[in-house]
Each structure stands twice: as structure tokens, then as C-alpha cells.
Amino acid sequence: MIAPANAIKPIAMPNISDRFNLVSRQLRQTEIEQGRQPGSVRLLAVSKYHSVSDIRHLAALGQRHFGESYLQDALTKMAECEDLNLTWHFIGRIQKNKCGALASHFHWVHGIDRLIIAQRLSRQRPANMPPLNLCIQVNISDEPAKGGIPPDPTGLLELSTAISQLPQVRLRGLMGMAAAGATAAEQTAAFGQLHTLFAGLNRAGFGLDTLSMGMSGDYPQAIAAGSTLVRIGRALFGPPAEPRPNHQSAKL
Ligand SMILES: *Cc1c(COP(=O)(O)O)cnc(C)c1O
């Protein structure tokens, strides 16, 4: 399932181009192995700990979608990359008082787990911009510290119905994370649960196209379970350049 180590050039440490090529190849290979349509899994490059120069490097290789978790850092990088017309996803914790900035700068916000956040984003989305794309986060890892609504079909249906009625946002799908340290079997079970909830909403007519699940450590399992968007940080950029002690949710 994982490409052999000899796919990396010998001696030299892999640079960002090597990593991008390796991850892209693994994505395509996993799609084929799992009987998924080629190109049906989108790569979101999670650049939260990485520089504008790394982002520019990946953009030059054809990467369009980038994910950030810390609003101030993200706004700085987005301004510096404005000429590239990239698509920006916010994947961090959402604070109520940050909804205005999120609504006016991002294309996507993952991690919606309360109606009030979606209402604020809709209200604060500038009228001259297309609707903001949203994913509801579902807590499939059973870890109370992680965000997300419980994996309960009734509650999820209620939240999805309410969000679908908001004018300036568009519900695109669901987002989830397997527990840190989960076995491959546990990852598969958690991703399978999210896929079942996603399929249930689509049977109810929601027309969702995005199942955001899978990170550097578990994306093959997520693709096997039906992911349409994998959020990859370390496998693309390498380990974070410097520790970020002021970022409490940082998982290094
Ligand atoms: C940091 C982060 C990722 C990327 O994690 P890696 O293990 O570096 O691939 C994906 N999703 C979310 C929500 C994150 O915060």
C-alpha cells in the first residue's frame, strides 16, 4: 500500500518536491487499489507550520488547496500569496469572535460543530463573494478533547438541515479525525462510521460531495473508507521547522 522507500532518491534527504511527488503517487495508487475513481480524492496541503516559500514551492508544482489552523498566521500567508489565487481551507478550532475574518478571507471552513457558528459565518460572508463552503466536524474518535458533534444521525440531520437553509454558506460535507495512536483497524472503523453518516445524509437528499478525512498517518485507510479529501501536513512538508509552544492544539 505504501510506496517503497526506493521511490525516494538515495542519499539526499527528501525535499519538498520529492515529498509532493511521493504523496501524489501514493494517493493515485491507493485510489486504484481501492477501486476509487482516479482523481476522486483531493489533496489538501496542510501548511499550518510552514512558510510562504514552501507554499509557493508546492503551488509551482500544481498544488491549489491549502489548509491552515491559526487565523493570524493564515491571514499573513494568504496576503503574501494573493497573486497565486490559491484555495484556502480553515481547519482549526473556530472561535465565535473570529467568524468575520474567516467569512471574508477563506473559501472553506471545516470543523463546524454548532449552528451558531454557521449562522455567524453566513451573516458575515460578504455579499459579493460566493457562498462559503462548510464541512460539519463529527467526533468519530471518542476523545472529548477533540471538536465535533457526536456521531448521532439524528443530531447530524438536524444540524445539516439548519445549515442548508442559511443563504451565504454551502454545506459540502463532513470532516473527522481518527484518534491519535489508533490502530489501523480502529482508524478503519472510525472512517467507516463517518462514511455511513455521510451516505445517510446523501440518501436524505443533501447532495454532499466532500468527505474530509485522512491525515499523514492514516490517509490510505481513509481513502479505502471513501474519503474525498485528505488533509496532509507532515508527509508533504516534513516535520514542523520550529516548535510552536503558544499553539496549544499543536500535535507535533
Ligand atoms: C494538522 C492537521 C492535519 C495534518 O496533520 P499531519 O499529521 O501533519 O498530516 C490535518 N487535519 C487537521 C484538522 C489538522 O489540524
Side-chain angles (χ1 to χ4, degrees):
M1 192 179 286
I2 305 298
N6 64 10
I8 298 172
K9 288 196 213 93
I11 303 167
M13 287 287 285
N15 62 28
I16 196 161
S17 306
D18 294 331
R19 291 178 183 280
F20 178 76
N21 291 332
L22 184 60
V23 169
S24 302
R25 267 208 308 281
Q26 284 181 351
L27 281 186
R28 301 290 87 92
Q29 194 182 320
T30 311
E31 284 174 342
I32 291 165
E33 284 170 3
Q34 299 299 330
R36 301 285 309 277
Q37 193 96 330
S40 61
V41 182
R42 172 179 281 170
L43 174 60
L44 177 64
V46 176
S47 47
K48 63 189 177 199
Y49 299 128
H50 302 280
S51 66
V52 165
S53 95
D54 281 352
I55 292 170
R56 288 191 165 275
H57 202 136
L58 282 190
L61 297 171
Q63 178 63 27
R64 306 304 304 161
H65 290 258
F66 289 84
E68 290 281 336
S69 303
Y70 306 107
L71 182 61
Q72 283 315 317
D73 283 359
L75 294 179
T76 307
K77 292 181 198 176
M78 291 161 85
E80 289 178 37
C81 294
E82 213 175 350
D83 56 305
L84 299 176
N85 280 318
L86 301 174
T87 300
W88 294 94
H89 297 236
F90 187 78
I91 61 170
R93 280 298 179 92
I94 306 163
Q95 292 167 297
K96 267 199 262 180
N97 63 343
K98 303 288 170 58
C99 285
L102 291 176
S104 48
H105 290 95
F106 282 83
H107 303 90
W108 288 71
V109 176
H110 301 229
I112 303 295
D113 60 4
R114 287 177 291 162
L115 180 58
I116 184 149
I117 297 289
Q119 286 170 329
R120 283 186 180 225
L121 291 171
S122 180
R123 205 161 54 234
Q124 298 186 290
R125 181 70 164 173
N128 63 343
M129 293 175 82
L132 180 63
N133 298 298
L134 302 185
C135 289
I136 294 175
Q137 184 173 356
V138 182
N139 188 336
I140 50 171
S141 68
D142 231 2
E143 295 169 298
K146 289 247 174 82
I149 68 165
D152 156 50
T154 308
L156 182 58
L157 184 65
E158 278 173 20
L159 180 59
S160 303
T161 303
I163 292 176
S164 302
Q165 286 154 11
L166 299 172
Q168 277 291 86
V169 296
R170 180 163 163 224
L171 183 62
R172 297 292 296 267
L174 303 181
M175 182 270 228
M177 277 182 266
T183 64
E186 288 163 346
Q187 291 164 352
T188 296
F191 294 142
Q193 182 181 32
L194 194 60
H195 181 261
T196 300
L197 292 166
F198 178 74
L201 288 176
N202 276 340
R203 273 197 307 278
F206 282 88
L208 306 179
D209 62 7
T210 302
L211 186 51
S212 167
M213 58 185 194
M215 319 197 331
S216 296
D218 56 21
Y219 68 90
Q221 286 81 357
I223 293 171
S227 171
T228 70
L229 182 147
V230 291
R231 307 179 309 268
I232 310 283
R234 282 170 296 176
L236 273 179
F237 292 97
E242 65 200 81
R244 308 294 290 262
N246 54 335
H247 290 153
Q248 290 180 4
S249 61
K251 296 182 300 279
L252 301 182

